[in-house]
Amino acid sequence: MVKPALKTVEGGAPREPSPENDPVIPLAIRGMTVAYGGKPVVYDVDFVPPAGRMAAIIGPNGAGKSSLLKAALGIVPSVSGRVSIFGKPLSEARARVAYVPQRAGVDWDFPATVLDVVVMGLYRQIGLLRFAGRREKAQALACLEQVGMAAFAGRQIGQLSGGQQQRVFLARALAQGADLLVLDEPFAGVDAATERAIVQVLRDLKAAGQTIVCVHHDLATVAEYFDHVLLMNVRKVAEGSVAEAFTPETLQQTYGGRLTSTQVADITRAGAEALDPTAGAG
């Protein structure tokens, strides 16, 4: 994709387009504030993850991580803030975004098979008033194959384990063919094998040029899994590459007394070793 020409300000000096207008920037959130019952849960947060990278949003429970993304995607209302997707308003760029919600927010008793759920990701292609044909079902099966769930295509979604359900919802997102994938706690409540499988799929997507944004809760794996991080606790604390922003100081600012100094040291040491495997060598 070709970047737009640089704008010229008075005096002839060129300047880069702002992130909100830049078609290369997958997601630009500016000044986002969200309140429930008059109480802010997200306050004046900016977030601009880089293209083609995996970005984590971390913070304690109640920090507003999920609310930030839900507001950005129009799932919950915001008090204020601006959002652009690849330089366009969300209303003009929805087809370029896929969202994987938290498992706790899904009605697993809905009478649908695994294949049905993945086919839902193709409705923009199929049309709401049409049924999936052989080609669309083959596409959905290919997405299930990517996450290791093709053998369960005919199973009712409610009969699966938590980890299997999460893989199916990831397959649905894959079916959408989006350039930006947003996941809300994709590793919560899944087994180690499922977590490894999901991480590999996300890395493959990143290698293909897609951008991944995850709400994440396991601090020990931030440096191993992600390139970019936003730390927040209602307000933004820090944002940047994991090497720059994921530090003992920002962790203490974000989590306060919830983490001991020993825990912070262990987390950052593990992060340093993930970024540089020779760091822990004795």
Side-chain angles (χ1 to χ4, degrees), residues 229-232 235-240 244-246 250 253-254:
V229 64
L230 167 67
L231 297 95
M232 64 177 290
R235 297 174 182 265
K236 173 178 173 176
V237 176
E239 179 189 355
E244 296 171 339
F246 192 67
T250 58
Q253 290 174 43
T254 304

Side-chain angles (χ1 to χ4, degrees), residues 222-223 226-229 240-248 250 271-272 275:
V222 169
F226 298 97
D227 312 295
H228 190 85
V229 64
S241 70
V242 171
E244 296 171 339
F246 192 67
T247 67
T250 58
L275 292 167

Side-chain angles (χ1 to χ4, degrees), residues 27-230:
L27 174 65
I29 301 174
R30 294 296 192 190
M32 181 64 72
T33 296
V34 182
Y36 299 138
K39 179 182 179 181
V41 294
V42 176
Y43 187 77
D44 195 28
V45 172
D46 295 346
F47 179 45
V48 185
R53 297 290 184 267
M54 286 177 60
I57 302 175
I58 64 173
N61 292 338
K65 306 181 294 296
S66 297
S67 294
L68 174 68
L69 289 183
K70 287 179 179 179
L73 298 178
I75 298 169
V76 300
S78 61
V79 175
S80 62
R82 304 185 309 278
V83 178
S84 64
I85 308 292
F86 295 101
K88 295 183 178 181
L90 176 64
S91 59
E92 299 177 20
R94 286 187 184 276
R96 300 191 69 181
V97 187
Y99 173 64
V100 179
Q102 288 188 30
R103 286 182 48 253
V106 176
D107 179 8
W108 297 110
D109 294 324
F110 186 77
T113 67
V114 165
L115 186 63
D116 291 335
V117 171
V118 180
V119 166
M120 291 176 189
L122 296 168
Y123 277 161
R124 288 184 184 275
Q125 173 183 320
I126 299 169
L128 288 176
L129 301 179
R130 295 179 55 209
F131 292 102
R134 184 178 301 172
R135 185 182 66 177
E136 289 81 17
K137 290 180 179 179
Q139 284 181 257
L141 278 170
C143 294
L144 284 169
E145 188 70 43
Q146 279 186 262
V147 299
M149 289 295 294
F152 296 83
R155 189 82 61 88
Q156 289 290 315
I157 188 69
Q159 296 175 351
L160 302 182
S161 69
Q164 290 170 333
Q165 290 170 342
Q166 195 73 335
R167 292 195 199 201
V168 172
F169 267 66
L170 178 56
R172 184 183 71 170
L174 295 177
Q176 291 178 245
D179 300 303
L180 171 63
L181 181 58
V182 178
L183 306 98
D184 195 350
E185 302 237 17
F187 309 119
V190 304
D191 57 81
T194 293
E195 182 163 332
R196 287 193 298 271
I198 292 174
V199 168
Q200 188 56 56
V201 170
L202 297 181
R203 286 173 172 164
D204 291 344
L205 293 174
K206 184 183 82 165
Q210 289 163 274
T211 303
I212 318 296
V213 176
C214 295
V215 172
H216 190 59
H217 67 282
D218 183 4
L219 298 179
T221 56
V222 169
E224 180 183 355
Y225 293 170
F226 298 97
D227 312 295
H228 190 85
V229 64
L230 167 67

Side-chain angles (χ1 to χ4, degrees), residues 269-282:
R269 185 184 306 111
E273 291 174 2
L275 292 167
D276 178 8
T278 65

